[in-house]
Every structure is written in C-alpha cells, then in structure tokens.
Amino acid sequence: MADDSVLPSPTEITSLADTSVFDSKVTETSKENLCMVSTSNVDEEMPQVEARVVVVQEAGKQEELLKALKTVKIMEVPVIKIKESCPGKSDEKLIKSIINMEIKVPCVKMDSMEEFGSLDSPEFENIFVVTDFQTSVFNDLYKADCRIVGPPVILNCAQMGEPLPFSCRPLYCTSMLNLVLCFTGFRKKEELVKLVTLVHHMGGVIRKECNSKVTHLVANCTQGEKFRVAVSLGTPIMRPGWIYEAWERRNEQCFCAADDDFRNEFKVPPFQDCILSFLGFSDEEKHSMEEMTEMQGGTYLPVGDERCTHLIVDENTVKELPFEPSKKLFVVKQEWFWGSIQMDARAGETMYLYEKANTPELKKSVSLLSLSTPNSNRKRRRLKESLAQLSRETDLSPFPPRKRPSAEHSLSIGSLLDISNTPDSSIHYGETPKSCAKSSRSSTPVPPKQSARWQVAKELYQTESNYVNILATIIQLFQVPLEEEGQRGGPILAPEEIKTIFGSIPDIFDVHMKIKDDLEDLIANWDESRSIGDIFLKYSKDLVKTYPPFVNFFEMSKEMIIKCEKQKPRFHAFLKINQAKPECGRQSLVELLIRPVQRLPSVALLLNDLKKHTADENPDKSTLEKAIGSLKEVMTHINEDKRKTEAQKQIFDVVYEVDGCPANLLSSHRSLIQRVETVSLGEHPCDRGEQVTLFLFNDCLEIARKRHKVIGTFRSPHDRTRPPASLKHIHLMPLSQIKKVLDIRETEDCHNAFALLVRPPTEQANVLLSFQMTSEELPKESWLKMLCRHVANTICKADAENLMYVTDPESFEVNTKDMDSTLSRASRAIKKTSKKVTRAFSFSKTPKRALRMALSSSHSSEGRSPPSSGKLAVSRLSSTSSLAGIPSPSLVSLPSFFERRSHTLSRSTTHLI
C-alpha cells in the first residue's frame, strides 16, 4: 500500500470524532491485504514477533473461555510503519496493512498491572482478554494503547472458526458489527460520549452526517435535519435504549442488535414528543384516532389547548378554524396523521399544511374566475359546457363527480376513475398491466339519429369503461404499492395476505380491458347491424376462468381486509390515505372489491335490454341470446364452484377439529351434509355416556368423540395458531356398511334415541351402534330421513324408506335413563380410570420395539425349528395378528374392538336383513 494511503494511529482519534473514514479504510485495508503469513515471512515489513493472548484476572478463571482459546489459532495483526516527523515532535505511527498471524505461543494469565511490564515486550503482539471494561485494569491497558477484546469475541471466533479480529479500539463483542450509526438531538455531551463508547465496544461505526451509508439513526428528538433525511431515506430511527439494551445482552452468543424482533422494540414511534388534537371528525373517528395516537407513542388533548403541537383537521368538513392558531402549532390535514403511521415515522408537516378557505392565495384564484371580467362570456360558456359534459358523464358513474382539475385534464366518458386523465398520471408504484396506461377516447361519436339500441349500447360501453377504471384503481392505488419492494418500515402486508385480498383482480382487469376496447371500437364505428353479442361470446371462456376464483373467495378477502386493518396500524393508515383520494370516490377497498361480484349480473340485464331493442331481422338478435346464455352459464358455474368451495372448506374444518382424522377424508367429490351431536348409549363405538359427534358426508360417516384432555395448539406454516382439536377420531365408516337405520320409539326411559345396524366387511355378524341426539336444532325424524336418503344414494337404491325400521327400545336393550345423573357420570369416570390403570400395569402389552424384534426373529428363523423363546414370541404375536391385517384408518372396515352383542341381539336383527 502506498504511503499516502496509510492511516493515522487510533490513539490520536477522539471518541466524538467522525471515525467512519478511519474504520472504513481499516476494513478495506484488511480485505485487500489479508494473507496468511508467519513471522518468518514478514522480516522486511516488521520485526519478527510472536502472537500471544493474555487473559486478565477473572478471564483466566473461565473454563469455557480457556477451552475456546485452544481452538483459536490465528489473529489479525496490523503492520505499523514509523513515519519520521519534524524535530521536536514524536514520530507518527501508521498502519500500513493487516495480516493474519499464527498463534504459536500458549496463552498466559495476568492478575494485576504489576505483571504488565514483563509481558509488554516488542517480541510479542499481545491481545488482552478482559471480562469487565469498567475496571481500573482495563483503563490502564487502554491508556497503554493495548489491544483489548471481551470473552464474547473469543467464543464467537472459536465457534465460527475465524481469526481474532483487529480493532483500533477495545472490542467487547460483535453485536453491532457492520452497523453504521449517526446521532441527533443529544444536548448532554456525557450521555453522547457514553453511547458512542458502547457502540465502539460492540463493533459499531459512527458517522457525523446522516446519509445513505448510515444504517441506523439514534434520535433523542423527532426534529432536525438528520431526522428528516433519515425519514426520506427510510433509515430506521432508534431510541437510545436500543444501545443500552444491546449492551446488557453483550454476553449472549449469536446476538445481533440489528435483528428485526429486537430492533422493533426500540424504534422511535411516529408521534413521539407530539401532542395531537382532532377537529372535524365524528366521535367514532376521533376515538379511533386517539387510540391510534397512544399506540404510536403520542398523546392527545382537546382542541384549543395551548400544549398541543399538532391540530389534525378533516379538510372535507372544516371550512374555517374556530380559533387563530399559534405559530408553534402545526395545523395539518389528516393525511399527515395516516402517512406518518404508514411510513412508521413522523412525516414532514410542510407537505400537509391545512389551508383555510379565506387564504390570500385562494382569494386570488377565485377573483380570476369572476364573471365580470372582459372575457366573462367566453368563461361562462366554457363553464356551461363543462358542467353539461359532467352531468352527462356522471349519470351512469358509480362515484360522485370529481372536481375539474384543469382545462387540459377535462373529463371524458368513463374518465371519472381513469388514472391516466389525472394530473398525476405517471404513477411510479411499479409494473402494472399494460392496459392500465391506456385511456379511453375523449368523446363518444353520436350518430345522426340516436336509436334506442344505440342508447343501450352506449350505456353498456359507459358502464364497462367505469368498471375497468375501478379495477385499474384497485390495482394501481392498492395492490401494486403493497407488492412494491423496499417499502419504508418493511412490507405492510405479507405476500399471502395480498394474494388473499386481491386474488384474480389483474386477470379480470385484462379481460374487461379487451371487452372495453372492442365496445369502444363498435361505438366509434356504429352500425345497427354490428354485433355486440359476439364480443361477449368471444371472451366467455376467459370470464369462466377468471371470475370463480375471485367471487368464491370474496368473503375470505373481505375478512382478511378487516383482520389486517385491526391488527396492522400501517395497513389501516394505508387504506385511510388511499381511500381518501378522488380516484376512489370516497369508497372503501371492500366496497370497490365487491364490484366484480356485481358486474356480470348487471351486464346480463343490459344485454337483455339490448335484445328488446334489437329488430328480429337483425343477426345480432340470436347472437345476443347466445351471449346472455353464456353469461348465465358463467354465473351458474360461479355459484356451483362457490358451493363446492364452501363444502371443501367445511371438510378442512372437520379435519382440523378432529384429532387423528384420516387424510383420505379430503376428496374432491365429497361434501359435508350434516353434523349431529349425540351421546353413546352402548359399548360401541365408545363407552356408554361418551359425547359423540357424527359428521354425515355424501358417502361416509365420520364418528368422533369429545377429547378428555385438549393439549397444545396447531400452528400453521404461516405461523397462525389454530385452536386445539376438540374431538378424537374413532372411525370413518362408508355409508354402504349401514344396513338399517333404527328409529327407536319414545318411551319414559328412552328419549330421542336411534341406532345404526352396521355390517363391516371383515365381520360375520351385525354391530349395533346406538345414540341419543342432544342437539335440538335438528329433529330426529329429519336427521334419520336425511341419513337414509344418502345411504340409498350410496348403494344405488331408490327406496330410501325401506332402510328405516321403527322399533321398541326393549328389543335392542336401548335406554337413556339416568344418562345425566351424578351416579352415572361417576360410574363412567371410575370405568375410564380403571381402564387406564389396567393398561398402565398390563404385562400382556406388546411394545412396538418388541413387536419388530419378534417379527425379525420369526423371519430369520424361517426353515428352522424355532427355539422356546421364539415360540413365546409367536404366541404373543397371535394376539396381534388381526391388527396386522387391518390397514390404517380408512373406509375399509371397523376396528376390531366392535365385539358382538349377545344372542338376543342376533335374534332381534335376523329378520331385519
């Protein structure tokens, strides 16, 4: 390295100076000149020295630290060049380069500064390990210009396999390594010196000026040039507590002060040091904004209080302030409030100042429009024409009329929401669909004689144009900014949340942009014989492809918006800012997103009206009928898909609610029919008195019992916690296994009971499952008829009534007596406990490991007579042979715990089959 690029000695740099240049050059030097050398290879550059680590006082007693030092074999060493100075002045030390040097000498211990003299030798490049940077020993070593590191540096280098780093200052840990900080708003020099020192001890760099290279601004106030620059650059603005807390955690391994979770706790809130008051808002809006103010670090007071720093005004309702504001009070529009929350920092007030109605600038502009000027006739005529055009265009507009911004941006048909017709036509949010940038023609040609068919066609075009502009507004004002990378304060919403909210809106926009262009061409070149129906027939397949995904999940989209607006203040502020823009027509995002749901029915009505005004001999008459039919097919397809989607969602809900539910329950052809809450009256499918839930699907019946203990929660891949499963899977039974549905008569000892006679394919006899319905919403008769109908559909029988059999409870020993009594509940509890105890102390259980060992031993002894222990294993396996033949939970058979009823049950059911 050339002499003119060498760096001054760190001892001449004060702690408050901007040392970023020095730090950056040291880093650059180390990267350019980093090489692995031994002391024998640098004789020409520096005297031959040995690298050595010295552990001071308490550091020598830490076993973990001493163990880590044995694994660290390399350290970075600066190459010092002595530059001769003028006579009478001391020579200047310059760092020429940084090299890697092997540590060949074992570490030594130093208990006091008295031993320093014997250790401070030019033959050694020493690095001192000190546990406490507040002791007198540390101060003495620092004054002696020694290299000092803390134990976390040694432990981190040992863990990462890296050399001990060179630092021109004492380095305790590396939790702020590669961070560049700038400070603002600190008036006490002692506090600033302390913060700067701690940052240096953690490996951070300090800069005086706030620019793009600064990673964090530490602010003691929310004003000043540095604060404004940091806000404009999107630099995180931190409170001093961030540095203090990071220093408290200095001994934690792998801790980084720049981690988002840790850093976000110490960000300067947007309204810190601000006292707000609100004028012109409703009580509900005011209460909401006051709560938001406290959440964002500010306070609020009534309007007129002298302590207020900001007065937030609703410019749409307030025409004049009730008092003369002081010079210190910022009177701003509500956009400043929401903008500060969205960017997660206090926005500059000058861009959002509220202008009163009687300001001189406004008076001057009004005087220029006075009708008493020499050109009053021309201006009056121009105003009349503009109002006439505005009235024509807003007759069919979905939004209230927008003010005419200027003469060159005059309104045209369908331009009320056209972004390209506004002064801010170049929106730099990111890439948008190409058709978003296209604007409609300035006017619609009028034929010599306006027929009724032309009027309806014109209305169809106008509504289509307005609809396309609404879709463009949704994309450009909402979707594209949310998807933009590099947002200040980080992404407002997660990608999956954005996808849920907007769905297939861009695809719908592209299709309708094509339809609009075709209608525009048709209106511009109007002829009564031109076909309008062909346009919609042309894009019918595209409509079928794009609309169902959005319409089916519209409710989910709306719920996601409401949820995110409640949980994420930045998204709430984002909506407030954009929904207030004239392009939205004062409508919320939810109200805009419902337009695709309403569009196709309104198009069908207009096409019907167009058909009425089309002559029978016109070829478009039959084409319009086909177009109307295709739209009805699209809407039918949407409704059918929506029904299937909702049914699929219900199945997913069952899977999440039932613990151990078989995966093969999820099927595209399956739908949930009914859910029934019951109590088991027999020993099957579970103990008597157990609460059982029956899920009837179109081809199967899921049987689940209430869980005795609910432990843990289900966490989705997107870190959303679901409630724990409340039910336990028992069996998933095909409806084809149900042979009879027994309607048990009402008696004094039996109420609301029914039973299912089941024949599993692996069993030779019938199994009786008896239940008592506990839900009162569904009558028993309706439930049994519903069940019979779906059983009949499954087995392809038309006579569903023959599947039901009315019987007395005595015939099948079914009763509901004492089901809710205290004695009955106690008896069931004792029974469950005894079962658990029996299982716990059972010596006949075969553990999985023993079962596998037994299987392997039986296979290995094939062809030979097994020993006595093998016979024992085979005998134990005989009890589990039936389990080996039963597959995992599926629609094949009932579990083997369905035992047979007594001979009385067999005799009672013989005549039913």
Side-chain angles (χ1 to χ4, degrees), residues 169-180:
R169 305 179 189 86
L171 182 66
Y172 188 86
C173 63
T174 58
S175 57
M176 283 195 174
L177 194 65
N178 301 324
L179 300 188
V180 182

mmCIF file with all atom_site columns, all heavy atoms in Angstrom, residues 169-180:
data_model
loop_
_atom_site.group_PDB
_atom_site.id
_atom_site.type_symbol
_atom_site.label_atom_id
_atom_site.label_alt_id
_atom_site.label_comp_id
_atom_site.label_asym_id
_atom_site.label_entity_id
_atom_site.label_seq_id
_atom_site.pdbx_PDB_ins_code
_atom_site.Cartn_x
_atom_site.Cartn_y
_atom_site.Cartn_z
_atom_site.occupancy
_atom_site.B_iso_or_equiv
_atom_site.pdbx_formal_charge
_atom_site.auth_seq_id
_atom_site.auth_comp_id
_atom_site.auth_asym_id
_atom_site.auth_atom_id
_atom_site.pdbx_PDB_model_num
ATOM 1  N N   . ARG A 1 169 ? -9.971  -0.059  18.530 1.00 0.00 ? 169 ARG A N   1
ATOM 2  C CA  . ARG A 1 169 ? -10.489 0.284   19.856 1.00 0.00 ? 169 ARG A CA  1
ATOM 3  C C   . ARG A 1 169 ? -10.773 -1.000  20.623 1.00 0.00 ? 169 ARG A C   1
ATOM 4  O O   . ARG A 1 169 ? -10.870 -2.075  20.030 1.00 0.00 ? 169 ARG A O   1
ATOM 5  C CB  . ARG A 1 169 ? -11.783 1.088   19.738 1.00 0.00 ? 169 ARG A CB  1
ATOM 6  C CG  . ARG A 1 169 ? -11.674 2.323   18.886 1.00 0.00 ? 169 ARG A CG  1
ATOM 7  C CD  . ARG A 1 169 ? -13.022 3.028   18.829 1.00 0.00 ? 169 ARG A CD  1
ATOM 8  N NE  . ARG A 1 169 ? -12.988 4.093   17.849 1.00 0.00 ? 169 ARG A NE  1
ATOM 9  C CZ  . ARG A 1 169 ? -13.222 3.922   16.561 1.00 0.00 ? 169 ARG A CZ  1
ATOM 10 N NH1 . ARG A 1 169 ? -13.514 2.725   16.114 1.00 0.00 ? 169 ARG A NH1 1
ATOM 11 N NH2 . ARG A 1 169 ? -13.160 4.932   15.743 1.00 0.00 ? 169 ARG A NH2 1
ATOM 12 N N   . PRO A 1 170 ? -10.976 -0.913  21.920 1.00 0.00 ? 170 PRO A N   1
ATOM 13 C CA  . PRO A 1 170 ? -11.387 -2.108  22.685 1.00 0.00 ? 170 PRO A CA  1
ATOM 14 C C   . PRO A 1 170 ? -12.693 -2.670  22.137 1.00 0.00 ? 170 PRO A C   1
ATOM 15 O O   . PRO A 1 170 ? -13.666 -1.931  21.918 1.00 0.00 ? 170 PRO A O   1
ATOM 16 C CB  . PRO A 1 170 ? -11.549 -1.564  24.104 1.00 0.00 ? 170 PRO A CB  1
ATOM 17 C CG  . PRO A 1 170 ? -10.671 -0.365  24.168 1.00 0.00 ? 170 PRO A CG  1
ATOM 18 C CD  . PRO A 1 170 ? -10.712 0.249   22.804 1.00 0.00 ? 170 PRO A CD  1
ATOM 19 N N   . LEU A 1 171 ? -12.731 -3.965  21.916 1.00 0.00 ? 171 LEU A N   1
ATOM 20 C CA  . LEU A 1 171 ? -13.887 -4.633  21.313 1.00 0.00 ? 171 LEU A CA  1
ATOM 21 C C   . LEU A 1 171 ? -14.369 -5.724  22.261 1.00 0.00 ? 171 LEU A C   1
ATOM 22 O O   . LEU A 1 171 ? -13.705 -6.754  22.419 1.00 0.00 ? 171 LEU A O   1
ATOM 23 C CB  . LEU A 1 171 ? -13.499 -5.230  19.954 1.00 0.00 ? 171 LEU A CB  1
ATOM 24 C CG  . LEU A 1 171 ? -14.599 -5.931  19.168 1.00 0.00 ? 171 LEU A CG  1
ATOM 25 C CD1 . LEU A 1 171 ? -15.668 -4.935  18.733 1.00 0.00 ? 171 LEU A CD1 1
ATOM 26 C CD2 . LEU A 1 171 ? -14.020 -6.655  17.956 1.00 0.00 ? 171 LEU A CD2 1
ATOM 27 N N   . TYR A 1 172 ? -15.510 -5.493  22.892 1.00 0.00 ? 172 TYR A N   1
ATOM 28 C CA  . TYR A 1 172 ? -16.017 -6.489  23.840 1.00 0.00 ? 172 TYR A CA  1
ATOM 29 C C   . TYR A 1 172 ? -16.806 -7.592  23.125 1.00 0.00 ? 172 TYR A C   1
ATOM 30 O O   . TYR A 1 172 ? -16.692 -8.764  23.454 1.00 0.00 ? 172 TYR A O   1
ATOM 31 C CB  . TYR A 1 172 ? -16.901 -5.815  24.883 1.00 0.00 ? 172 TYR A CB  1
ATOM 32 C CG  . TYR A 1 172 ? -17.311 -6.758  26.004 1.00 0.00 ? 172 TYR A CG  1
ATOM 33 C CD1 . TYR A 1 172 ? -16.492 -6.931  27.109 1.00 0.00 ? 172 TYR A CD1 1
ATOM 34 C CD2 . TYR A 1 172 ? -18.486 -7.502  25.929 1.00 0.00 ? 172 TYR A CD2 1
ATOM 35 C CE1 . TYR A 1 172 ? -16.836 -7.816  28.122 1.00 0.00 ? 172 TYR A CE1 1
ATOM 36 C CE2 . TYR A 1 172 ? -18.843 -8.382  26.933 1.00 0.00 ? 172 TYR A CE2 1
ATOM 37 C CZ  . TYR A 1 172 ? -18.019 -8.543  28.028 1.00 0.00 ? 172 TYR A CZ  1
ATOM 38 O OH  . TYR A 1 172 ? -18.359 -9.420  29.022 1.00 0.00 ? 172 TYR A OH  1
ATOM 39 N N   . CYS A 1 173 ? -17.652 -7.208  22.151 1.00 0.00 ? 173 CYS A N   1
ATOM 40 C CA  . CYS A 1 173 ? -18.457 -8.181  21.407 1.00 0.00 ? 173 CYS A CA  1
ATOM 41 C C   . CYS A 1 173 ? -18.684 -7.642  20.003 1.00 0.00 ? 173 CYS A C   1
ATOM 42 O O   . CYS A 1 173 ? -18.273 -6.528  19.674 1.00 0.00 ? 173 CYS A O   1
ATOM 43 C CB  . CYS A 1 173 ? -19.784 -8.455  22.116 1.00 0.00 ? 173 CYS A CB  1
ATOM 44 S SG  . CYS A 1 173 ? -20.851 -6.997  22.235 1.00 0.00 ? 173 CYS A SG  1
ATOM 45 N N   . THR A 1 174 ? -19.342 -8.419  19.184 1.00 0.00 ? 174 THR A N   1
ATOM 46 C CA  . THR A 1 174 ? -19.571 -8.032  17.783 1.00 0.00 ? 174 THR A CA  1
ATOM 47 C C   . THR A 1 174 ? -21.054 -7.895  17.466 1.00 0.00 ? 174 THR A C   1
ATOM 48 O O   . THR A 1 174 ? -21.473 -8.092  16.334 1.00 0.00 ? 174 THR A O   1
ATOM 49 C CB  . THR A 1 174 ? -18.939 -9.067  16.842 1.00 0.00 ? 174 THR A CB  1
ATOM 50 O OG1 . THR A 1 174 ? -19.496 -10.369 17.126 1.00 0.00 ? 174 THR A OG1 1
ATOM 51 C CG2 . THR A 1 174 ? -17.443 -9.115  17.002 1.00 0.00 ? 174 THR A CG2 1
ATOM 52 N N   . SER A 1 175 ? -21.873 -7.559  18.462 1.00 0.00 ? 175 SER A N   1
ATOM 53 C CA  . SER A 1 175 ? -23.318 -7.483  18.237 1.00 0.00 ? 175 SER A CA  1
ATOM 54 C C   . SER A 1 175 ? -23.713 -6.303  17.353 1.00 0.00 ? 175 SER A C   1
ATOM 55 O O   . SER A 1 175 ? -24.830 -6.266  16.840 1.00 0.00 ? 175 SER A O   1
ATOM 56 C CB  . SER A 1 175 ? -24.056 -7.400  19.575 1.00 0.00 ? 175 SER A CB  1
ATOM 57 O OG  . SER A 1 175 ? -23.597 -6.298  20.332 1.00 0.00 ? 175 SER A OG  1
ATOM 58 N N   . MET A 1 176 ? -22.827 -5.299  17.176 1.00 0.00 ? 176 MET A N   1
ATOM 59 C CA  . MET A 1 176 ? -23.113 -4.173  16.276 1.00 0.00 ? 176 MET A CA  1
ATOM 60 C C   . MET A 1 176 ? -22.108 -4.117  15.133 1.00 0.00 ? 176 MET A C   1
ATOM 61 O O   . MET A 1 176 ? -21.926 -3.050  14.527 1.00 0.00 ? 176 MET A O   1
ATOM 62 C CB  . MET A 1 176 ? -23.113 -2.856  17.036 1.00 0.00 ? 176 MET A CB  1
ATOM 63 C CG  . MET A 1 176 ? -24.354 -2.611  17.855 1.00 0.00 ? 176 MET A CG  1
ATOM 64 S SD  . MET A 1 176 ? -24.522 -0.906  18.402 1.00 0.00 ? 176 MET A SD  1
ATOM 65 C CE  . MET A 1 176 ? -26.155 -0.961  19.162 1.00 0.00 ? 176 MET A CE  1
ATOM 66 N N   . LEU A 1 177 ? -21.494 -5.229  14.824 1.00 0.00 ? 177 LEU A N   1
ATOM 67 C CA  . LEU A 1 177 ? -20.538 -5.272  13.731 1.00 0.00 ? 177 LEU A CA  1
ATOM 68 C C   . LEU A 1 177 ? -21.244 -4.944  12.413 1.00 0.00 ? 177 LEU A C   1
ATOM 69 O O   . LEU A 1 177 ? -22.375 -5.395  12.170 1.00 0.00 ? 177 LEU A O   1
ATOM 70 C CB  . LEU A 1 177 ? -19.901 -6.659  13.649 1.00 0.00 ? 177 LEU A CB  1
ATOM 71 C CG  . LEU A 1 177 ? -18.644 -6.784  12.790 1.00 0.00 ? 177 LEU A CG  1
ATOM 72 C CD1 . LEU A 1 177 ? -17.501 -5.975  13.388 1.00 0.00 ? 177 LEU A CD1 1
ATOM 73 C CD2 . LEU A 1 177 ? -18.240 -8.249  12.662 1.00 0.00 ? 177 LEU A CD2 1
ATOM 74 N N   . ASN A 1 178 ? -20.617 -4.128  11.568 1.00 0.00 ? 178 ASN A N   1
ATOM 75 C CA  . ASN A 1 178 ? -21.136 -3.700  10.260 1.00 0.00 ? 178 ASN A CA  1
ATOM 76 C C   . ASN A 1 178 ? -22.302 -2.719  10.360 1.00 0.00 ? 178 ASN A C   1
ATOM 77 O O   . ASN A 1 178 ? -22.938 -2.428  9.341  1.00 0.00 ? 178 ASN A O   1
ATOM 78 C CB  . ASN A 1 178 ? -21.563 -4.909  9.411  1.00 0.00 ? 178 ASN A CB  1
ATOM 79 C CG  . ASN A 1 178 ? -20.426 -5.870  9.152  1.00 0.00 ? 178 ASN A CG  1
ATOM 80 O OD1 . ASN A 1 178 ? -19.286 -5.442  8.972  1.00 0.00 ? 178 ASN A OD1 1
ATOM 81 N ND2 . ASN A 1 178 ? -20.719 -7.166  9.151  1.00 0.00 ? 178 ASN A ND2 1
ATOM 82 N N   . LEU A 1 179 ? -22.611 -2.220  11.545 1.00 0.00 ? 179 LEU A N   1
ATOM 83 C CA  . LEU A 1 179 ? -23.650 -1.198  11.690 1.00 0.00 ? 179 LEU A CA  1
ATOM 84 C C   . LEU A 1 179 ? -22.999 0.174   11.698 1.00 0.00 ? 179 LEU A C   1
ATOM 85 O O   . LEU A 1 179 ? -21.969 0.391   12.346 1.00 0.00 ? 179 LEU A O   1
ATOM 86 C CB  . LEU A 1 179 ? -24.450 -1.411  12.975 1.00 0.00 ? 179 LEU A CB  1
ATOM 87 C CG  . LEU A 1 179 ? -25.196 -2.734  13.127 1.00 0.00 ? 179 LEU A CG  1
ATOM 88 C CD1 . LEU A 1 179 ? -26.084 -2.692  14.365 1.00 0.00 ? 179 LEU A CD1 1
ATOM 89 C CD2 . LEU A 1 179 ? -26.027 -3.044  11.902 1.00 0.00 ? 179 LEU A CD2 1
ATOM 90 N N   . VAL A 1 180 ? -23.609 1.106   10.973 1.00 0.00 ? 180 VAL A N   1
ATOM 91 C CA  . VAL A 1 180 ? -23.124 2.486   10.895 1.00 0.00 ? 180 VAL A CA  1
ATOM 92 C C   . VAL A 1 180 ? -24.191 3.384   11.518 1.00 0.00 ? 180 VAL A C   1
ATOM 93 O O   . VAL A 1 180 ? -25.323 3.451   11.009 1.00 0.00 ? 180 VAL A O   1
ATOM 94 C CB  . VAL A 1 180 ? -22.841 2.909   9.443  1.00 0.00 ? 180 VAL A CB  1
ATOM 95 C CG1 . VAL A 1 180 ? -22.287 4.339   9.404  1.00 0.00 ? 180 VAL A CG1 1
ATOM 96 C CG2 . VAL A 1 180 ? -21.870 1.943   8.788  1.00 0.00 ? 180 VAL A CG2 1
#
